[in-house]
Amino acid sequence: MLIRSDRKKIPRLDTILSYDANMILAERRFKGEQRFSALEVCAQLCALHVRKRYRFDCHAFLLSFSTVTPIPPKILNGMGRFEGRLNGISQRAFSYDVKFQLEPMAAIQIKLNIGTSAYGKMFKKEKLRPYYQQLFASLCHCNVKRESIKDGS
């Protein structure tokens, strides 16, 4: 299945290293990319975590973000590590603290809010649910803590 975007190249996670009900840890190698790429990957990380928590039965999207520490205005190169920690839940929103580390830079702290909505005409369950299930499974490689997520997969 192919999900298309108007953007030429969207930065994506490379690997999910571990996750549980309240945390997700992943990596991505940057190759001469602009700093907005780190924010995009942080949003993907947390939205995937929310989708997994709800057995991929809802659409998840970035509501807002704020950086606690500024992202340096330079090109990103090297292996970046992303750790998202869930710190708040409401009926349809999730709050995360994300730490992004790319050596030799100091760790960057980002706060993200992820919203959810039911699938419908615009976000079709029959296309998006299997797409995100497959994406999540393809990114999981080692040290995965599966027992703590609701669906047990």
Side-chain angles (χ1 to χ4, degrees), residues 35-43 46 62 64-71 82-85 87 95-101 107-113:
R35 65 183 178 166
F36 79 85
S37 298
L39 293 173
E40 174 68 34
V41 173
C42 288
C46 297
L62 178 65
S64 65
F65 76 91
S66 62
T67 56
V68 178
T69 52
I71 299 175
F82 298 83
E83 180 179 352
R85 294 214 171 261
N87 64 22
S95 177
Y96 283 86
D97 288 325
V98 181
K99 183 170 93 173
F100 165 54
Q101 180 71 55
I108 295 164
Q109 301 290 329
I110 299 169
K111 293 189 174 290
L112 289 173
N113 293 307

Coordinates of all heavy atoms in Angstrom, one line a residue, residues 35-43 46 62 64-71 82-85 87 95-101 107-113:
R35 N 17.0 21.1 10.1 CA 16.6 20.8 11.5 C 15.1 20.5 11.7 O 14.8 19.8 12.6 CB 17.0 21.9 12.4 CG 16.3 23.2 12.2 CD 16.9 24.3 13.1 NE 16.2 25.6 12.8 CZ 16.3 26.6 13.6 NH1 17.0 26.5 14.7 NH2 15.7 27.7 13.2
F36 N 14.3 21.0 10.8 CA 12.9 20.6 10.9 C 12.6 19.1 10.8 O 11.6 18.6 11.3 CB 12.0 21.3 9.8 CG 12.0 20.7 8.5 CD1 11.2 19.6 8.2 CD2 13.0 21.1 7.5 CE1 11.3 19.0 6.9 CE2 13.0 20.5 6.3 CZ 12.2 19.4 6.0
S37 N 13.6 18.4 10.2 CA 13.5 16.9 10.1 C 13.4 16.3 11.5 O 12.7 15.3 11.6 CB 14.6 16.4 9.3 OG 14.7 16.9 8.0
A38 N 14.1 16.8 12.4 CA 14.1 16.2 13.8 C 12.7 16.4 14.4 O 12.2 15.5 15.1 CB 15.1 16.9 14.7
L39 N 12.0 17.5 14.2 CA 10.7 17.8 14.7 C 9.7 16.8 14.0 O 8.8 16.3 14.7 CB 10.3 19.2 14.5 CG 11.0 20.2 15.3 CD1 10.6 21.6 14.8 CD2 10.8 20.1 16.7
E40 N 9.8 16.6 12.7 CA 8.9 15.7 12.0 C 9.1 14.3 12.6 O 8.1 13.6 12.8 CB 9.3 15.7 10.5 CG 8.5 14.7 9.7 CD 7.1 15.0 9.6 OE1 6.7 16.1 9.5 OE2 6.3 14.0 9.5
V41 N 10.3 13.8 12.8 CA 10.5 12.5 13.4 C 9.9 12.4 14.8 O 9.4 11.3 15.1 CB 12.0 12.1 13.3 CG1 12.3 10.8 14.0 CG2 12.4 12.0 11.8
C42 N 10.1 13.4 15.6 CA 9.5 13.4 16.9 C 8.0 13.2 16.9 O 7.4 12.4 17.7 CB 9.9 14.7 17.7 SG 11.6 14.8 18.2
A43 N 7.4 13.9 16.0 CA 5.9 13.8 15.8 C 5.5 12.4 15.4 O 4.5 11.8 15.9 CB 5.4 14.9 14.9
C46 N 5.8 9.8 18.4 CA 4.7 9.9 19.4 C 3.4 9.5 18.8 O 2.6 8.8 19.4 CB 4.6 11.3 20.0 SG 6.1 11.7 20.9
L62 N -0.3 15.5 15.0 CA 0.4 16.5 15.8 C -0.6 17.6 16.1 O -1.1 18.2 15.1 CB 1.6 17.0 15.2 CG 2.4 18.1 15.9 CD1 2.9 17.6 17.2 CD2 3.5 18.6 15.0
S64 N 0.3 20.2 18.7 CA 1.2 21.3 19.0 C 2.5 20.8 19.4 O 2.7 19.6 19.9 CB 0.6 22.2 20.0 OG 0.5 21.6 21.2
F65 N 3.5 21.6 19.4 CA 4.8 21.3 20.0 C 5.5 22.6 20.5 O 5.2 23.7 20.1 CB 5.8 20.6 19.0 CG 6.3 21.6 17.9 CD1 7.6 22.2 18.2 CD2 5.7 21.8 16.8 CE1 8.1 23.0 17.2 CE2 6.2 22.7 15.8 CZ 7.4 23.3 16.1
S66 N 6.4 22.4 21.4 CA 7.2 23.5 21.9 C 8.6 22.9 22.2 O 8.7 21.8 22.7 CB 6.7 24.2 23.1 OG 6.5 23.4 24.2
T67 N 9.6 23.6 21.9 CA 11.0 23.1 22.3 C 11.4 23.7 23.6 O 11.2 24.9 23.8 CB 12.0 23.5 21.2 OG1 12.0 24.9 21.0 CG2 11.7 22.8 19.9
V68 N 11.9 22.9 24.4 CA 12.4 23.3 25.7 C 13.8 23.8 25.6 O 14.2 24.8 26.2 CB 12.3 22.2 26.7 CG1 12.9 22.6 28.1 CG2 10.9 21.7 26.9
T69 N 14.5 23.2 24.7 CA 15.9 23.6 24.3 C 15.9 23.9 22.8 O 15.3 23.0 22.1 CB 17.0 22.6 24.7 OG1 16.6 21.3 24.2 CG2 17.1 22.5 26.2
P70 N 16.5 24.9 22.3 CA 16.4 25.2 20.9 C 17.2 24.2 20.1 O 18.2 23.7 20.5 CB 17.0 26.6 20.8 CG 17.6 26.9 22.1 CD 17.2 25.9 23.1
I71 N 16.7 23.9 18.9 CA 17.4 23.1 18.0 C 18.4 23.9 17.2 O 18.1 24.9 16.7 CB 16.5 22.4 17.0 CG1 15.5 21.5 17.7 CG2 17.2 21.6 15.9 CD1 14.4 20.9 16.9
F82 N 15.8 9.1 19.6 CA 14.6 9.8 20.1 C 13.9 9.0 21.2 O 13.7 7.8 21.0 CB 13.6 9.9 18.9 CG 14.1 10.7 17.8 CD1 15.0 10.1 16.8 CD2 13.8 12.0 17.6 CE1 15.4 10.9 15.8 CE2 14.2 12.8 16.6 CZ 15.1 12.2 15.7
E83 N 13.7 9.6 22.3 CA 13.0 8.9 23.4 C 11.7 9.7 23.7 O 11.8 10.9 24.1 CB 13.9 8.8 24.6 CG 13.2 8.1 25.8 CD 14.1 8.0 27.0 OE1 15.3 8.3 26.9 OE2 13.5 7.6 28.0
G84 N 10.6 9.1 23.5 CA 9.3 9.8 23.8 C 8.7 9.2 25.1 O 8.6 8.0 25.2
R85 N 8.4 10.1 26.1 CA 7.8 9.6 27.3 C 6.4 10.3 27.4 O 6.3 11.5 27.4 CB 8.6 10.0 28.5 CG 9.9 9.3 28.5 CD 10.4 9.0 29.9 NE 11.5 8.1 29.8 CZ 11.5 6.8 30.0 NH1 10.3 6.2 30.3 NH2 12.5 6.0 29.9
N87 N 3.4 11.7 29.2 CA 3.3 12.3 30.6 C 1.9 12.8 30.9 O 1.6 13.4 31.9 CB 4.3 13.4 30.8 CG 4.1 14.6 29.9 OD1 3.1 14.8 29.3 ND2 5.2 15.3 29.7
S95 N 0.1 13.9 25.8 CA 1.2 14.8 26.0 C 2.5 14.0 26.1 O 2.5 13.1 26.9 CB 1.0 15.7 27.2 OG 2.1 16.6 27.4
Y96 N 3.5 14.4 25.4 CA 4.8 13.7 25.4 C 6.0 14.6 25.7 O 5.9 15.8 25.2 CB 5.1 13.0 24.1 CG 4.3 11.7 23.8 CD1 3.1 11.8 23.3 CD2 4.9 10.5 24.2 CE1 2.3 10.6 23.1 CE2 4.2 9.3 23.9 CZ 2.9 9.4 23.4 OH 2.2 8.2 23.2
D97 N 6.9 14.2 26.4 CA 8.2 14.8 26.5 C 9.2 13.9 25.7 O 9.3 12.7 25.8 CB 8.8 14.8 28.0 CG 8.0 15.8 28.8 OD1 7.6 16.9 28.3 OD2 7.8 15.5 30.0
V98 N 9.8 14.6 24.7 CA 10.7 13.9 23.8 C 12.1 14.4 24.0 O 12.3 15.6 24.0 CB 10.3 14.0 22.3 CG1 11.2 13.3 21.4 CG2 8.8 13.6 22.1
K99 N 13.0 13.5 24.1 CA 14.5 13.8 24.1 C 15.1 13.4 22.8 O 14.9 12.2 22.4 CB 15.2 13.2 25.3 CG 16.6 13.6 25.4 CD 17.2 13.1 26.7 CE 17.9 11.8 26.5 NZ 18.6 11.3 27.7
F100 N 15.7 14.3 22.1 CA 16.4 14.0 20.8 C 17.9 14.2 21.0 O 18.3 15.3 21.5 CB 15.9 14.9 19.7 CG 16.7 15.0 18.5 CD1 17.1 13.8 17.8 CD2 17.2 16.2 18.0 CE1 17.8 13.9 16.7 CE2 17.9 16.3 16.9 CZ 18.3 15.1 16.2
Q101 N 18.7 13.2 20.8 CA 20.1 13.3 20.9 C 20.8 12.9 19.6 O 20.5 11.9 19.0 CB 20.6 12.3 22.0 CG 22.1 12.2 22.2 CD 22.5 13.5 23.0 OE1 22.0 13.8 24.0 NE2 23.5 14.2 22.4
A107 N 21.6 17.2 24.2 CA 20.2 16.6 24.0 C 19.2 17.8 23.9 O 19.4 18.8 24.6 CB 19.9 15.7 25.1
I108 N 18.3 17.6 23.1 CA 17.2 18.6 22.8 C 15.9 18.1 23.4 O 15.5 16.9 23.2 CB 17.1 18.9 21.3 CG1 18.4 19.5 20.8 CG2 15.9 19.8 21.1 CD1 18.5 19.5 19.3
Q109 N 15.2 18.9 24.2 CA 14.0 18.5 24.8 C 12.8 19.2 24.0 O 12.8 20.4 23.8 CB 13.9 19.0 26.3 CG 15.0 18.4 27.1 CD 14.8 16.9 27.4 OE1 13.7 16.4 27.5 NE2 16.0 16.3 27.6
I110 N 11.8 18.4 23.7 CA 10.7 18.9 22.9 C 9.4 18.4 23.6 O 9.3 17.2 24.0 CB 10.7 18.4 21.5 CG1 12.0 18.9 20.8 CG2 9.5 18.8 20.7 CD1 12.3 18.3 19.5
K111 N 8.4 19.2 23.7 CA 7.1 18.8 24.3 C 6.1 18.7 23.1 O 6.1 19.7 22.3 CB 6.6 19.8 25.3 CG 7.4 19.8 26.5 CD 6.8 20.7 27.6 CE 7.5 20.6 28.9 NZ 7.4 19.3 29.6
L112 N 5.5 17.6 23.0 CA 4.5 17.4 21.9 C 3.1 17.0 22.4 O 3.0 16.3 23.4 CB 5.0 16.2 21.0 CG 6.2 16.4 20.1 CD1 6.5 15.0 19.5 CD2 5.9 17.4 19.1
N113 N 2.1 17.5 21.7 CA 0.7 17.1 22.0 C 0.2 16.4 20.8 O 0.3 17.0 19.7 CB -0.1 18.2 22.4 CG 0.3 18.8 23.7 OD1 0.4 18.1 24.7 ND2 0.6 20.1 23.8

